[in-house]
Amino acid sequence: MDTALIYGAYGYTGSLIVDEAVARGGSPVVAGRDGERLRDVATEHELESRVFDLERGRAIERALDGIDVVCNCAGPFVETAAPLVEACLETGTDYLDITGEFQVFDRLADEDERAIAAGVTVLPGVGFDVVPTDCLAVMLADRVPGATELTLAIASTSSVSRGTAKTMVESLGSGGVVRRRGRLVQVPTAYDVREIDFGERVGVTPAVTVPWGDIVTAAHSTGIETISVYAGVSKRAIRALRAGGSLESIAGTAPVKSTLERLIDATVDGPDGRELTQDRAVVWGEVTDGKTRLRGRLETPNPYALTVETATSAIERTLDDDVPAGFQTPATAFGPEFILECSAVDRWIDEPMAVPS
């Protein structure tokens, strides 16, 4: 029987994915570096546990003995993805994670040839980042062959987990990034703002550029070489982001990051049960070939609730050998309709419009 291992199984999102996997009849191996916290998860569900950190490659490889698929839920993924992927390539184990960090996607895309040679699937981003955006990008690009520019945007009021908050702290001081003509280009924090119509639930909202993973994954999925990603936020938040941009050299220092991480440990838990079941998010997209413009959007459950569903489904499908080897994105692995297989996801695709000359 094929076996999945969930690393970071006691974190906020990891524990929810374990719950869902068990509820679907699975028996994943739970893993992480904190033996005491791991023991609680394993005991609750009567699962096998494996305690290991990511400092020693050989130890990771031994811990993957008998494992067919790893789902990494331990961030910041810029620190955890590379050693786990390296061990997966050595042991022939498929790799999944729930990252949204563009640096991780960019790094793992470079492992495509090695992964194909090893017969290993490398599929990061099987959560809210980047399943709905990746699938929407392909849906739109397929309808405008030859599209040269893609814009994506996300609006959500959900609170964040401790792991997500720490990943955000880790990125302080790095500014923003967009894709221009096939290259990742550094830009200032919140360098561009535009009004985006997110539909009835959110309405027309200001949105600001953010360096999310789609600047890498959507290029891989669609072939489009100019990509920007926006987040819907308040005007007050935009002013704060721009003001904070001038302080990034300070915010990115080790003492400041350490202080913020301690504050996160003391104050951040993650979305509560009401948020998980009631909150919604909207993903918006636009493609153009210079002559035609096409827009669409998806409305989804709470980002963490969606992550639990998409990640668990991705684990199941990868265990079924339903994914090609090599570097994949959710849309290239499962097709753009993958997001529509999830519960309570609605889609709208507008009629194509001519671009004013």
Side-chain angles (χ1 to χ4, degrees), residues 198-259:
F198 286 98
E200 290 185 8
R201 182 172 293 271
V202 177
V204 178
T205 300
V208 62
T209 44
V210 289
W212 286 348
D214 305 277
I215 58 175
V216 175
T217 52
H220 184 84
S221 305
T222 67
I224 296 174
E225 296 190 337
T226 295
I227 302 170
S228 296
V229 185
Y230 291 74
V233 294
S234 67
K235 292 181 179 179
R236 178 180 297 179
I238 292 170
R239 288 194 296 269
L241 284 167
R242 285 181 162 170
S246 62
L247 301 174
E248 281 190 341
S249 60
I250 299 173
T253 61
V256 172
K257 286 184 177 181
S258 179
T259 299

Side-chain angles (χ1 to χ4, degrees), residues 142-340:
D142 284 349
R143 289 168 169 81
V144 184
T148 56
E149 186 170 347
L150 166 69
T151 307
L152 295 165
I154 299 168
S156 172
T157 59
S158 175
S159 58
V160 301
S161 71
R162 185 172 297 154
T164 300
K166 287 186 174 181
T167 297
M168 293 165 67
V169 167
E170 189 64 29
S171 68
L172 287 174
S174 58
V177 179
V178 296
R179 179 175 287 274
R180 290 288 177 267
R181 294 182 292 278
R183 295 177 57 250
L184 296 180
V185 178
Q186 194 85 28
V187 295
T189 297
Y191 95 106
D192 188 44
V193 177
R194 62 179 288 180
E195 299 282 322
I196 290 178
D197 185 356
F198 286 98
E200 290 185 8
R201 182 172 293 271
V202 177
V204 178
T205 300
V208 62
T209 44
V210 289
W212 286 348
D214 305 277
I215 58 175
V216 175
T217 52
H220 184 84
S221 305
T222 67
I224 296 174
E225 296 190 337
T226 295
I227 302 170
S228 296
V229 185
Y230 291 74
V233 294
S234 67
K235 292 181 179 179
R236 178 180 297 179
I238 292 170
R239 288 194 296 269
L241 284 167
R242 285 181 162 170
S246 62
L247 301 174
E248 281 190 341
S249 60
I250 299 173
T253 61
V256 172
K257 286 184 177 181
S258 179
T259 299
L260 291 172
E261 287 176 353
R262 288 196 298 271
L263 181 63
I264 288 167
D265 284 332
T267 61
V268 177
D269 292 317
D272 59 23
R274 184 202 62 77
E275 288 181 276
L276 283 174
T277 57
Q278 297 183 21
D279 280 2
R280 302 283 284 172
V282 179
V283 174
W284 175 96
E286 175 186 88
V287 294
T288 180
D289 60 2
K291 297 179 180 179
T292 301
R293 181 175 64 197
L294 179 66
R295 292 172 176 168
R297 68 183 190 275
L298 300 170
E299 188 175 305
T300 79
N302 172 283
Y304 290 91
L306 184 70
T307 291
V308 171
E309 186 169 0
T310 56
T312 308
S313 294
I315 292 169
E316 292 175 338
R317 291 180 65 160
T318 308
L319 284 172
D320 289 340
D321 294 324
D322 196 25
V323 189
F327 175 80
Q328 302 293 330
T329 72
T332 64
F334 307 126
E337 303 295 309
F338 177 52
I339 185 63
L340 300 179

